[in-house]
C-alpha cells in the first residue's frame, strides 16, 4: 500500500503590515514587519508517496465548498505547490515521486496567502513522506515571503523578507473574511506603493498589536472599486475594515463567533460578496501517514 498524508493549508491575514523601501540588494524586494496569523479557512492537500521510478503527477481543482471559483488557467508547473515539490527535489538531488491532489478554497489574488500556504503544506508533506532532513524554512524563503511563516502558522512577527520569524502569544479572534469578486495584482500594488509613499518600517506599532496595513492606500489607488468596497463594508459593519496583504480580501474583527456569523450574513446579503465567519487558529497538522 502507498503512504499518503492529508494536510490543511490555512489562509493567513496580516493583522499589521509595515512595508519598507524596495531594496536594490534583494532584487528590489520590500522588507516588511508584520504580525501574521493563520485562520480557520484552508485549502486541502492529499500527497501520496509513489514508487521509485514513478513520475510525479499533480491535480489542482476547486473544492466543492470553495466560496469563489475562478478558472485554474495557470500552467501546472507554475503552481506554487508544484514548484515547492520540484525545488525540494532539486535541493535533495533526487526525484521524490508523489501524487498531489490539491483542493482549493482560498481565492486567487486575495491577499490570503493561498498559494504560499499550499507550498508550505507541500514541503511539509513531502519531507515527512520521504523522511527528509532539510531546512524547509530556507527553501520556503526562496519560494515566497509568506511561505516560511505558513510552515508553522499561528501568530508570529515576520520581518526582513519573510525569513525572520518570532512566535507571539496566540489570541483567539473571531472575524469575518470578505472576498470581493476580483483580485489585486501584488506587483501593481507594490509599484503604486513605491510611487505614493516614502516608506519606513514601523516595528514598534507592529509589536504593539496595532491593526494597520501600509499597502491599503496603494491598493485603493490600483483598484478604485476596492476603495469603494472598503467604504461600503465599513458602513455595513459599523466598525473598521482592514485589508489583508495587498488585497483584495478584507477582514473585520468581531466580538465573538456569534457576532461574526451574523455580520457575515448581513455583508453577503447587502453586497453580494463572499463573507466567511472564521477565527484565528494555530494549525494542528500532525502529518500522520496513512496507507
Amino acid at each position: 500500500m502507498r503512504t499518503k498524508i492529508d494536510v490543511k493549508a490555512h489562509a493567513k491575514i496580516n493583522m499589521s503590515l509595515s512595508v519598507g523601501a524596495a531594496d536594490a540588494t534583494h532584487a528590489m524586494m520590500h522588507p516588511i514587519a508584520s504580525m501574521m496569523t493563520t485562520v480557520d479557512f484552508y485549502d486541502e492537500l492529499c500527497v501520496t508517496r509513489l514508487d521509485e521510478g514513478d513520475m510525479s503527477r499533480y491535480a489542482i481543482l476547486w473544492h466543492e465548498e470553495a466560496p469563489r471559483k475562478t478558472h485554474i488557467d495557470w500552467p501546472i508547473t507554475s503552481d506554487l505547490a508544484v514548484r515547492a515539490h520540484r525545488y525540494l527535489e532539486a535541493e535533495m538531488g533526487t526525484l521524490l515521486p508523489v501524487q498531489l491532489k490539491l483542493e482549493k478554497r482560498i481565492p486567487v489574488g486575495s491577499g490570503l496567502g493561498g498559494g504560499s500556504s499550499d507550498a508550505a503544506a507541500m514541503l511539509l508533506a513531502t519531507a515527512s513522506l520521504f523522511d527528509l532532513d532539510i531546512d524547509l524554512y530556507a527553501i520556503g524563503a526562496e519560494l515566497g515571503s509568506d511561505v516560511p511563516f505558513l510552515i508553522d502558522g499561528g501568530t508570529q512577527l515576520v520581518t526582513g523578507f519573510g525569513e525572520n520569524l518570532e512566535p507571539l502569544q496566540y489570541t483567539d479572534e473571531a472575524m469575518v473574511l470578505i472576498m470581493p469578486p476580483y483580485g489585486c495584482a501584488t506587483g501593481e500594488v507594490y509599484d503604486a506603493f513605491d510611487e505614493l509613499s516614502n516608506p519606513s518600517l514601523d516595528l514598534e506599532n507592529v509589536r504593539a498589536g496595532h491593526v494597520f496595513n501600509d499597502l491599503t492606500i496603494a491598493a485603493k489607488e490600483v483598484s478604485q472599486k476596492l476603495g469603494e468596497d472598503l467604504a461600503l463594508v465599513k458602513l455595513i459593519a459599523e466598525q473598521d475594515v482592514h485589508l489583508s496583504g495587498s488585497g483584495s480580501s478584507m477582514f473585520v474583527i468581531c466580538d465573538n463567533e456569534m457576532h461574526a456569523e451574523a455580520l457575515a450574513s448581513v455583508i453577503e446579503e447587502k453586497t453580494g460578496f463572499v463573507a466567511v465567519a472564521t477565527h484565528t487558529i494555530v494549525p494542528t497538522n500532525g502529518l500522520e501517514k496513512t496507507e
Side-chain angles (χ1 to χ4, degrees):
M1 295 290 290
R2 288 173 170 168
T3 307
K4 69 176 182 178
I5 288 177
D6 294 304
V7 57
K8 296 176 180 177
H10 287 267
K12 62 84 186 173
I13 61 168
N14 302 86
M15 297 294 283
S16 57
L17 176 58
S18 180
V19 180
D23 189 332
T25 64
H26 287 81
M28 298 307 291
M29 291 176 62
H30 295 73
I32 63 167
S34 179
M35 182 186 296
M36 294 189 191
T37 188
T38 39
V39 296
D40 193 22
F41 180 60
Y42 51 84
D43 295 343
E44 295 183 46
L45 292 83
C46 177
V47 186
T48 303
R49 177 171 176 167
L50 301 180
D51 298 328
E52 184 176 352
D54 285 352
M55 296 290 292
S56 290
R57 46 188 184 263
Y58 315 100
I60 301 171
L61 61 155
W62 287 108
H63 195 284
E64 62 181 9
E65 298 175 359
R68 196 186 91 202
K69 300 174 183 176
T70 55
H71 291 299
I72 297 178
D73 55 4
W74 56 89
I76 195 79
T77 53
S78 70
D79 189 272
L80 265 177
V82 176
R83 287 174 55 199
H85 175 247
R86 292 191 168 188
Y87 200 109
L88 199 51
E89 287 184 323
E91 287 294 302
M92 297 303 300
T94 186
L95 294 178
L96 306 167
V98 298
Q99 174 179 289
L100 166 67
K101 181 181 181 182
L102 167 56
E103 295 183 277
K104 296 182 66 64
R105 285 187 180 88
I106 305 169
V108 176
S110 62
L112 297 174
S116 294
S117 192
D118 296 340
M122 188 66 171
L123 291 175
L124 286 166
T126 305
S128 179
L129 285 169
F130 290 89
D131 298 315
L132 304 180
D133 182 15
I134 192 167
D135 185 350
L136 297 182
Y137 301 95
I139 293 173
E142 294 295 321
L143 293 165
S145 59
D146 291 339
V147 179
F149 161 73
L150 286 161
I151 289 173
D152 294 318
T155 301
Q156 301 186 53
L157 174 65
V158 182
T159 56
F161 300 94
E163 76 280 14
N164 300 321
L165 305 172
E166 178 185 333
L168 299 174
Q169 183 174 358
Y170 165 75
T171 57
D172 189 2
E173 297 277 7
M175 63 183 61
V176 177
L177 295 180
I178 303 102
M179 292 165 272
Y182 53 85
C184 286
T186 300
E188 292 182 19
V189 173
Y190 272 95
D191 287 344
F193 176 78
D194 289 337
E195 294 176 5
L196 291 170
S197 60
N198 184 20
S200 62
L201 286 175
D202 190 351
L203 182 58
E204 183 178 348
N205 269 327
V206 174
R207 280 196 177 278
H210 297 159
V211 183
F212 68 97
N213 187 332
D214 282 353
L215 295 179
T216 301
I217 294 175
K220 292 193 291 187
E221 183 72 15
V222 169
S223 173
Q224 181 180 344
K225 186 73 168 64
L226 176 63
E228 295 169 352
D229 291 339
L230 278 164
L232 174 60
V233 175
K234 181 176 182 178
L235 185 66
I236 295 168
E238 298 181 341
Q239 61 191 90
D240 289 338
V241 181
H242 310 281
L243 196 69
S244 184
S246 57
S248 61
S249 290
M250 320 163 199
F251 64 94
V252 178
I253 300 172
C254 298
D255 298 332
N256 49 50
E257 290 187 13
M258 185 179 297
H259 178 202
E261 289 171 2
L263 182 57
S265 295
V266 172
I267 291 172
E268 282 203 339
E269 179 184 348
K270 293 191 174 183
T271 66
F273 301 158
V274 171
V276 175
T278 187
H279 59 92
T280 56
I281 192 171
V282 178
T284 56
N285 284 316
L287 298 180
E288 183 177 351
K289 301 175 186 177
T290 59
E291 298 295 329

